Structures are given as C-alpha cells and as structure tokens.
Amino acid sequence: MDNSVEKKLALTHFWVAFGAFGLAAVMGLYQVIERSGFFGFLESREVYYASVSTHGVLMGFVLTTFFIMGFGYYVATSSLKLPVWNKTFAWTGFGVALAGVVMAALPLLFGQASVLFTFYPPLKAHPLFYIGATLLVVGSWFWCVSMIVMYMQWKKANPGVPVPLAMFATTGNAILWLWTSAGVAAEVLFQLIPWALGWIDTIDAGLARTLFAWTLHPIVYFWLIPSYTAFYCLVPKQAGGFLFSDEMARAAFILLVVFSLPIGFHHLYMDPEQGHGWKLLHAVGTFVVTLPTFITGFTVIASLEIAGRLNGGKGLFGWIAALPWSNPLVLALILGLLMLIFGGFGGLINASYAMNAMVHNTAWISGHFHLIFGGTTVIMYFGIAYYFWPVLSGKPLYCPSLAIAQLWSWFIGMIIMTTPWHILGLLGQPRRIDSVHYNNLLTLSWEPYEVTMIFGGLILLGSAGLLVYILYKTQISQESYQGEIEYAEPIHAVKDLPNYLNSFGLWNAIIAVFMLIAFGYPILQFFLMETFGSGRWGV
Amino acid sequence: MHIDQLEKRWAGIALGIAGFFVAVILGSALFHGIHAPSNVETIDSAKLHLSEEFAEDKLGASTNPDGSVTVRMVAGRYGFYPKTLTLPAETKLTFRWVSLDVIHGVHIPMTNMSTMIVPGYVAQVQTELHHAGDYPLLCNEYCGMGHAHMWSNIKVVSKAQWEALNKQRGANHG
Ligand SMILES: [Cu+2]
C-alpha cells in the first residue's frame, strides 16, 4: 500500500508538535532562572507570567494534541492497512487546529492572555485566546471522527475479527477525548467567550472550575494513551520479544477510558463550591484508575522480561542487562517507567482526599506533573519520534547514539529539576510564583533548591535542542531508508474475543451513566442555588 | 480468551492495593471526620463591605461561646485582610475565607490549613495549630501579576497568652 500521503500527514503534525515543544523548552529555562532572582536584569513579572502561560499551552495543548493526531493517523493506516479516510477532512482538521494555535499565540506573546493554561476566570484574557484554544479543540475533533470512521470501516470489512490492539487503543483515546473535551468546550463556549466579548457581564467561577475539572483529569490520559500504546504495541517487538497479553492490554485501555472520565473532581478537593460527599465519591473513583496503571506496569515489565530472556539474559535480573538499551524506543520505556514509579508515589498523595491539603497548589504539584507528564509521557513521545521518523521521512535516523544521549539527558535533567520542586512543595512554596522573596525566615531556605533547578533546566533545554536537531538532521539526510512500523505479536494469538473487548458500544453507555452520576448534580447545583458571578479582571 | 494465571493474580493484588487506599480514606473520612474542606455557601463578592459577616469591622478572630475561635478573612489582590492577626495554639479554629475579586488560594506551610478562595463562595476550613510562632499565609493560586507578593503573617501564641491578651482587651474596652 502506498501511504506517502499518510506519512506526510503524520510528519506535518509531528513537526508542529515538536516545534512547539522546542519553543516551550526555552521558556521553561527562562522561568527557573527568573524566579530564582539571581539575575536581576531578567526579572519581570509580566514576561514571567506570559511565559508560563505560553509554556503551559504549548506543552499541554499543542505538543500533545498535534503529536496524538499525527501518531493516530499513522497507527490507523499502518495497523489497519487502510488509507486514511477522507484526507481532505484530515487536512482540514489540521488547518483548523493550527489556525487556532496561531490565533491563541498572538495574545499570549503580547501578555494579553497571561491566565495560565487552565484559564482561571474571573481573570480575563483577550477573546482571541479563548477562540484560538477552542479552534484547536475543534480541529482535534476532526481527528476523533477520522479515527472512529476508520475503526468502523475496518470492523465492517472484518466482522468478528479482533481490531488490532494499537487501533483499539487509539479509537479508545478518540472516544475519551470527545467525552472529556465537552467539559472545557462548554466552559469556553457558554462562559468564557461570551464574557470576554462583553456579551455577559459576570461569570460564575465555581461553575467554570467544575466544567474545567470535567476535562482536567481525563486529558492526562488523552496525553498518556499514545505512550501506553507504544508500551504495549511497539516496545515488546523492539526489545526482541512478544506482548505478554493482548486481552489484558485491551482491558487496561478500557479501564483507562471508562474510569478516567468521571473522576476530575480531585482537582477540586480544596475548592469551596463542591460538597465533600462528591469529593469523597471522586476520591474512590480516582483510586480505581490506578488499576490499569498497575496492570500496564506488570504486562509491560513481563513483556520486557520475555524479550530479555529471549536475548539470552539469565538469572533473576540478568534479563534487564540483556535488553537492547541502545534502542531509543526501549530506553525511553525504561526511563519512562522509572519516572512513573517515582511520580506515582507523589500521585497517591495528591489523590488522597485529605492528605492533599498538605501539598495542594504547592511546588510539589508542579514537580509531580513535570515528572509524570514532562517525564514519562513526553519521553515516550521522543522514543516514538525516533522510531517513526525514519519510516515517515524515508531517511535513516541521524546518529542513534546521540538519540540515546538525548534520552538520558532528559531523564537526568528531569530528576534534577523535579526533586527540589517536590521538596520546595513540602517546605510550603506556592506554585506559579515569579519570585521567591517573601521576607520570611522560612522562605529563605528555598534558595539552594532554586539553584539546583536551574541546572536541571539547563540540561533539559540542551536535551530538547538535541531532539529537534536529531529530527531535523534525519529529515534533511541524503540517504534513504525503507521500513514500516512493526507491531508486537502477543504470545498467545487472540481468538474468540468477547465483543465487549472489541467494541466501545457498551462502554459508551456505561460512561454516560457514570458521568451523569459524577457530574450531574454538581453542575446542576449552580442553577438551583443563588449564585453571584464575578466581573472582569484584567491580568 | 486467554488470561495468564500470573496476570490474574497480579490484577488481584492491584485491586487489593487500591482497595486498601480507598478503605483508609473512607475510614478517616467517615469515622474520624477528616474531610477535604467543603462548604457550599454562596456570597456576593461585590458587596462584602455591606455584608453582615465580612464587613471591615467584623474581620479577624472572634471567640465563640464554646471556646473555639472563628477567623474571618478576606483575600484580595494582593493581600489577606486583616493584615496581621494573633491566634491561639491548641484551639479549634474555623477559618472562613472570601475573595473580593479573583480566585486565590491560601495555605500555612507545613500545616493542613489550605483552601481555595473562589469569588462568590465562602471557603471554610477547620483546623488546630499546634506550635506557637510566626506563620506566613501564602497565596497559592495564580491571581495576577502580584501573586508572589501576596502573603501575610499570623502570630500563634499559647492558649494562656491568648487568654491574657483577651482579658486585657476586654478591660480596655470596658
Ligand atoms: Cu492571590
């Protein structure tokens, strides 16, 4: 099958993603330097908060959304062996999303949208920022439709046959994103845009926060699922082995999609506008989502062990040494898992209903999500990029050992930067501050940690630069490469799969019920009680 | 369909771990009353100065008949009002917070006194402070350009000192 158009489609999405990433990394380093206060001439709150907002939007919305779309298109065409459905439609989605990014970038860069990437009404950004962000989401919905249509086309042509696991996961992600982006879409369309344009005078910040919380946790799984897809479907083969269990992988993806949707409330544990009964209910749900992660950890490590032993590794731990550490995708997985283990402990504390009070909105949280998202998820994006680039561009990967160095440096930089962040959180440092000078004895103890973070930031920026350099050099190479994405085979071929592990129909109905229980009254209450909106406050 | 025996066992263990955490959380919430701060109570942020409870002269600490203390404070860009405050240690404290403008958050480092302060709502937290000393109150939610400069101090004194102070104040007023 000639899929040169699909290759171009995926590669274009990837370039937008990593371009945004490179830009955001520069801002990240600036931010750690600025807040330390050691370089007086760099200090500016206006630039700092504009930078933090842009960094968050680029990393959290642009890198992720474009990467996920590019990855999805190519997974769909290569796993189903089908051309991408309606290519004009796919390119239109790309165009809409890109237009949105450009539109949002203007006010961001001019300091007219320094509201951070979670919006924070009644702080008010320029309307273009909200409209741009909405277009980015609308563009991504084109992708969701493409994925679902291709999945259905394939199922129709292959009745009763298990959908390839990679496509099953990708379709699950598209469904998850449609469900979860509805929350932020409602906030932006019915609250933020009319209010920013002056059509309505006040905004209910409590309702806005609740709608955002609807999106805020599943969005993390939207970012993570491509990484998990690589864990299950790509890495075992690259490591020289097999997938331990295809069925358990499907179960894990279903659990992720179904249970990550109705649990967003743990971001509101410390908020006054929701009662504690609802918070407690969501706390229970939050722990259910640890299940698929535990299962994934087990299945992936078991798959690696099989590979290590097939490569000749002996003894209890000999298989670890026998893994191909020089394969970028395998190394990315190993380092990603390590960061997931460290970050997982922190996550348990955040998720614990009452313990959360100790760390809520402190630097601990920034440390935690930089480890889990900036670490585990993003390092897998790197690994995937190194694996996909030669296939998509038709050029061999430029200097694979440099790619290995880049992955290690990202891991080391992330550990150096996030460890002090966690400690600062325990020492009470609030998150999102442009300066650490509070004229208080306690806060003086923060300074050495700020210095350490600058070193972490420097390593991370170097690593980010290296990534973009390697991808660019690969792209412009004169040599040619021919190869396709190879998916891992399960040890036991999948036969007689029950329908509930091969389709999402039943699960969508269950999600609808869960969402109604989890968010029905908590949203309805704002229309039942007397509420007082807030006006418009500039940033 | 094939599921490995090992995998089944692991799924059981994972379920056990998650179940254990849920049990601890439910146990501490339902039997010991340890809850995330929540108090669905609305208030018009634009009219705080006219309100019964949060008018300027009503802010600060007031002792309740049962000996507990209620602390009423307003958060606004960029400070917590009243600016300084003395509180007793080892006493049941109920903080009631409102915002006069945007979203703020407040915490006292290394204690569990933490809440978001969302305009339009009254945030209420119950806690006890165990050690005397000066504590910063820090704004922990981005609220605009002055966010990092939004902080105040509270002084925590022993229960005996607090009672002595209150007597004095009573005498002065009398
Ligand atoms: Cu504030």
Side-chain angles (χ1 to χ4, degrees), chain B residues 104 139 141 143 147 150:
Chain B
H104 302 274
C139 177
E141 190 56 281
C143 55
H147 169 50
M150 181 161 169

Side-chain angles (χ1 to χ4, degrees), chain A residues 71-318:
Chain A
F71 181 72
Y73 283 126
Y74 205 70
V75 162
T77 184
S78 59
S79 70
L80 301 181
K81 310 220 167 20
L82 278 180
V84 162
W85 172 74
N86 197 337
K87 297 186 181 72
T88 318
F89 183 80
W91 282 112
T92 308
F94 172 81
V96 170
L98 189 63
V101 171
V102 173
M103 212 179 257
L106 292 171
L108 274 170
L109 294 175
F110 285 100
Q112 302 288 305
S114 299
V115 293
L116 306 188
F117 88 128
T118 41
F119 304 159
Y120 290 125
L123 288 181
K124 192 196 57 118
H126 193 280
L128 269 188
F129 171 69
Y130 300 122
I131 296 169
T134 307
L135 287 180
L136 172 59
V137 173
V138 171
S140 70
W141 288 344
F142 281 71
W143 172 82
C144 294
V145 171
S146 292
M147 292 302 104
I148 294 170
V149 169
M150 289 181 72
Y151 164 87
M152 308 251 275
Q153 280 180 333
W154 193 90
K155 275 192 80 164
K156 209 167 166 193
N158 301 273
V161 186
V163 180
L165 180 61
M167 189 57 191
F168 184 75
T170 303
T171 312
N173 206 18
I175 290 171
L176 171 120
W177 182 235
L178 285 176
W179 270 104
T180 194
S181 56
V184 72
E187 180 195 0
V188 178
L189 290 177
F190 298 118
Q191 291 192 284
L192 297 178
I193 291 177
W195 170 75
L197 289 172
W199 298 344
I200 52 175
D201 290 330
T202 64
I203 192 159
D204 185 339
L207 174 60
R209 284 178 70 76
T210 304
L211 290 173
F212 201 88
W214 164 339
T215 301
L216 197 52
H217 204 69
I219 199 176
V220 176
Y221 290 93
F222 171 60
W223 300 337
L224 190 62
I225 285 180
S227 300
Y228 274 27
T229 308
F231 281 11
Y232 283 113
C233 306
L234 302 175
V235 176
K237 174 93 187 169
Q238 290 296 301
F242 297 90
L243 172 60
F244 188 62
S245 165
D246 183 284
E247 288 90 343
M248 275 311 251
R250 278 169 212 264
F253 281 117
I254 289 171
L255 283 172
L256 274 180
V257 173
V258 172
F259 286 102
S260 75
L261 274 159
I263 60 161
F265 258 56
H266 60 253
H267 295 273
L268 302 179
Y269 278 163
M270 294 295 129
D271 273 42
E273 74 274 4
Q274 295 293 348
H276 58 224
W278 293 105
K279 292 178 183 175
L280 197 55
L281 185 75
H282 281 248
V284 174
T286 302
F287 278 92
V288 175
V289 178
T290 61
L291 285 178
T293 298
F294 276 126
I295 293 174
T296 300
F298 181 83
T299 307
V300 171
I301 292 171
S303 309
L304 284 182
E305 184 179 345
I306 295 166
R309 295 200 187 282
L310 285 174
N311 295 344
K314 301 255 184 298
L316 198 54
F317 296 111

Side-chain angles (χ1 to χ4, degrees), chain B residues 10 31 84 89 95 108 113 118 122 150 158:
Chain B
W10 174 252
F31 299 113
T84 55
F95 284 91
I108 302 177
M113 208 309 290
V118 179
V122 180
M150 181 161 169
S158 70

Side-chain angles (χ1 to χ4, degrees), chain B residues 75-80 102-105 139-144 147 150:
Chain B
R77 304 204 289 184
Y78 294 105
F80 299 102
V102 299
I103 295 171
H104 302 274
C139 177
N140 63 30
E141 190 56 281
Y142 174 67
C143 55
H147 169 50
M150 181 161 169

Side-chain angles (χ1 to χ4, degrees), chain B residues 67 88-92 157-164:
Chain B
E90 305 296 347
T91 306
K92 201 176 137 203
V157 297
S158 70
K159 221 171 166 166
Q161 270 177 297
W162 164 262
E163 272 154 20

Side-chain angles (χ1 to χ4, degrees), chain A residues 114 279 299 353 438 496 530, chain B residues 1 7 35 38 42 142 151:
Chain A
S114 299
K279 292 178 183 175
T299 307
Y353 179 64
Y438 282 91
D496 58 52
E530 188 191 12
Chain B
M1 195 173 68
E7 197 131 42
H35 280 291
S38 296
T42 62
Y142 174 67
W151 59 279

